Amino acid sequence: MPALPAFSAPWRDRAGRLSGLKLSVFLFALAPGLWLAGAYAGDALGAKPITALLHGTGEWAVRFLLLSLAVTPLRRIANFPKLILVRRMLGLTVLAYALIHLALYVVDQNFVLTKVVSEIVTRFYLTIGFVALFGLVVLGVTSTDGMIRRLGKAWPRLHKAVYTIAVLGLVHYFLQAKIDVSDPVFWTGGFLLLMGWRALQRLRWPINPLTLLGLAVAVALVTAGLEAAWYGFASGIPAERVLQANLAFPSMIRPAWWVLALGLILPAVNAARLAWDRSNTRTDPKTRPAQPRSRQAMAAR
């Protein structure tokens, strides 16, 4: 009988050594769930604790999904290759919170599975949420080393579905929020930042602090327009009023400003990395350009 593969703790690297980065991300992934569980145990979630848990786990699933999509941009902008070590962990964290989200919905419906199925089929926002969850399950099942080898070249194509899943998750978030969509707007702005970076890569634009600054400003403006369009479509509020609310600063900080603040992290990190690289180039003799030989040395030779 073949030996079973040894269990690998999520805080260890492939060599079995403790990874501070993986341990930190693992604890961070657990923290929201532990906080929600503690709040539930302490009766601190209001009159409808299951509903609060349902919303909380769904929101964290979206947040961790966007964090997983941020790994590649941050890894390249900050020149921090080790970030790739936590991408799979973040992806599985998304799946875990999404599955708990569904389980809590079943609890909220008093375990009446026929009603759960009926609601998912007949309510559009639940339908797209379930489709997104199904996609996450597929990606989770195929995220193992064995499945990566088995799928070969098809694996990257399959896992590009994560972008569609993210869009579905954000639409589900918008529709579920109904009245106040500040959080969905903010996280959609974050998603647009990540997609904007990928667009720059595809177009082969130079990635430097200036282009990243332009990206941050452009996405913030798009976010403001998206919020205005949503309120205009969903509630009939004139788009001009919503756009003007973005200027009621600082009494009311709209999501577009927070997206701008988030986006400004990218050029700041990139500038810091470039400064660090230049500093290392000056101080490390191995990276200095070769100095031309003096005339005396050439003559002696």
Side-chain angles (χ1 to χ4, degrees), residues 173-188:
Y173 197 3
F174 264 97
L175 295 174
Q176 179 273 328
K178 296 181 176 68
I179 299 175
D180 184 6
V181 294
S182 296
D183 283 347
V185 168
F186 170 75
W187 290 107
T188 300

Side-chain angles (χ1 to χ4, degrees), residues 285-301:
K286 294 181 180 179
T287 60
R288 291 179 185 172
Q291 298 295 325
R293 293 175 179 268
S294 65
R295 291 183 179 179
Q296 292 83 355
M298 294 293 289
R301 184 179 177 186

Side-chain angles (χ1 to χ4, degrees), residues 36-256:
L36 288 169
Y40 177 78
D43 197 22
L45 293 178
K48 296 182 177 180
I50 297 299
T51 301
L53 287 174
L54 181 63
H55 292 168
T57 52
E59 289 165 2
W60 277 105
V62 171
R63 291 165 187 164
F64 278 113
L65 177 56
L66 296 185
L67 283 175
S68 70
L69 292 177
V71 167
T72 297
L74 288 176
R75 180 170 65 95
R76 295 185 181 176
I77 291 171
N79 193 21
F80 188 26
K82 287 187 177 181
L83 269 181
I84 197 66
L85 296 175
V86 301
R87 187 170 63 180
R88 183 187 302 183
M89 185 191 301
L90 287 171
L92 293 176
T93 300
V94 177
L95 177 59
Y97 278 96
L99 288 173
I100 295 171
H101 182 64
L102 175 62
L104 287 168
Y105 182 71
V106 174
V107 174
D108 191 52
Q109 299 299 318
N110 298 313
F111 297 95
V112 182
L113 297 183
T114 53
K115 184 178 180 181
V116 170
V117 173
S118 174
E119 291 286 291
I120 290 174
V121 171
T122 57
R123 293 181 181 267
F124 178 67
Y125 81 97
L126 293 178
T127 303
I128 60 175
F130 184 78
V131 171
L133 174 59
F134 179 78
L136 288 173
V137 170
V138 172
L139 297 189
V141 169
T142 58
S143 67
T144 63
D145 291 340
M147 288 301 296
I148 293 172
R149 289 191 298 269
R150 195 172 304 169
L151 291 173
K153 294 181 180 179
W155 189 88
R157 293 195 297 270
L158 173 64
H159 278 249
K160 284 183 179 179
V162 69
Y163 304 121
T164 303
I165 292 170
V167 171
L168 292 175
L170 288 167
V171 173
H172 173 75
Y173 197 3
F174 264 97
L175 295 174
Q176 179 273 328
K178 296 181 176 68
I179 299 175
D180 184 6
V181 294
S182 296
D183 283 347
V185 168
F186 170 75
W187 290 107
T188 300
F191 176 72
L192 293 175
L193 274 173
L194 299 175
M195 293 301 100
W197 178 86
R198 285 173 168 83
L200 293 177
Q201 289 284 104
R202 181 174 290 274
L203 295 172
R204 297 185 178 181
W205 280 32
I207 302 299
N208 55 48
L210 185 60
T211 56
L212 293 173
L213 175 62
L215 174 64
V217 173
V219 170
L221 292 173
V222 171
T223 302
L226 174 65
E227 182 187 30
W230 177 268
Y231 278 116
F233 175 77
S235 59
I237 299 176
E240 296 80 5
R241 286 181 56 189
V242 181
L243 291 173
Q244 288 172 2
N246 282 279
L247 302 178
F249 192 80
S251 61
M252 181 184 298
I253 304 178
R254 303 305 305 169

Side-chain angles (χ1 to χ4, degrees), residues 9-14 16-28 80 82-83 85-86 89:
W11 49 83
R12 296 189 179 277
D13 60 20
R14 290 183 177 274
R17 298 185 298 263
L18 176 66
S19 168
L21 175 63
K22 295 189 72 174
L23 177 61
S24 299
V25 173
F26 178 71
L27 294 175
F28 175 64
F80 188 26
K82 287 187 177 181
L83 269 181
L85 296 175
V86 301
M89 185 191 301

Side-chain angles (χ1 to χ4, degrees), residues 279-292:
S279 175
N280 284 345
T281 300
R282 287 195 298 266
T283 57
D284 188 352
K286 294 181 180 179
T287 60
R288 291 179 185 172
Q291 298 295 325

